Amino acid sequence: QHRCDVKSGGQNVCVKRQLWDAFGESDAWLTFWVFACTVLSAASGVGGGGMFVPLFLIFMDMTPSDAVPLSQSLILCSSLINLSFFIFQTHPLCETRAKIDYDTVMLLEPGLACGVIVGVLLNRVSPKWLITALLVVTLGSAFMRTGQKALTLWRKETEKKADAISKSPPGSIV
């Protein structure tokens, strides 16, 4: 509840901590972008860590060693919220099946857990330049793949729309 403050005479004084005193403009922007990225990642079904890490590096001047664990904790919280929404829903085509495919989860989870363990251990012993370079390569390639998929999907949708307009009778609403 208190923090140590140094007066002009060099004397240390205990001062009551105020929550919003340390909340600056960069923190507000970070909060906005993290919220927006969380909404986008939840809607698309991805974790969002590829978006959180650069935000923490840019807005909070964190090191990659600090930004990655914070990103992982945000992904965990986001996945728990998603789970609470989807756990009681049924499959859209088959009412007797759950919306979550638990067989796929059981198939992918052991590999994911092993990868996280190895990643944490390598994060502890690797130099900062290697971690930063690997983050740039990984996030850059993920960004490129996502961008290419989005562009391909946009082109398909544009072609379908153009075909639907050209095939529709004059005066109809497509």
Side-chain angles (χ1 to χ4, degrees), residues 19-156:
L19 176 64
W20 299 108
D21 286 349
F23 194 81
E25 184 180 346
S26 65
D27 297 317
W29 280 110
L30 175 68
T31 302
F32 170 77
W33 285 113
V34 165
F35 179 77
C37 291
T38 304
V39 169
L40 289 174
S41 64
S44 63
V46 297
M51 296 180 277
F52 297 146
V53 172
L55 290 174
F56 294 143
L57 294 176
I58 292 169
F59 288 108
M60 293 188 73
D61 293 328
M62 289 183 140
T63 63
S65 300
D66 294 333
V68 170
L70 184 57
S71 171
Q72 293 293 324
S73 66
L74 282 176
I75 293 167
L76 173 69
C77 293
S78 177
S79 65
L80 290 174
I81 291 169
N82 279 341
L83 178 65
S84 68
F85 280 113
F86 293 129
I87 196 161
F88 299 112
Q89 293 182 5
T90 59
H91 193 275
L93 302 176
C94 181
E95 294 291 324
T96 60
R97 287 179 38 202
K99 190 167 194 172
I100 300 171
D101 186 4
Y102 293 104
D103 293 333
T104 304
V105 172
M106 294 302 293
L107 178 70
L108 297 176
E109 194 59 35
L112 181 65
C114 290
V116 168
I117 290 170
V118 170
V120 167
L121 294 175
L122 289 176
N123 188 26
R124 295 278 183 178
V125 298
S126 298
K128 292 189 186 308
W129 65 266
L130 180 63
I131 294 170
T132 306
L134 290 174
L135 277 173
V136 167
V137 168
T138 303
L139 297 176
S141 64
F143 180 76
M144 292 298 293
R145 275 195 327 256
T146 304
Q148 289 172 348
K149 285 182 182 179
L151 190 59
T152 303
L153 183 61
W154 178 75
R155 286 181 181 152
K156 281 183 185 178

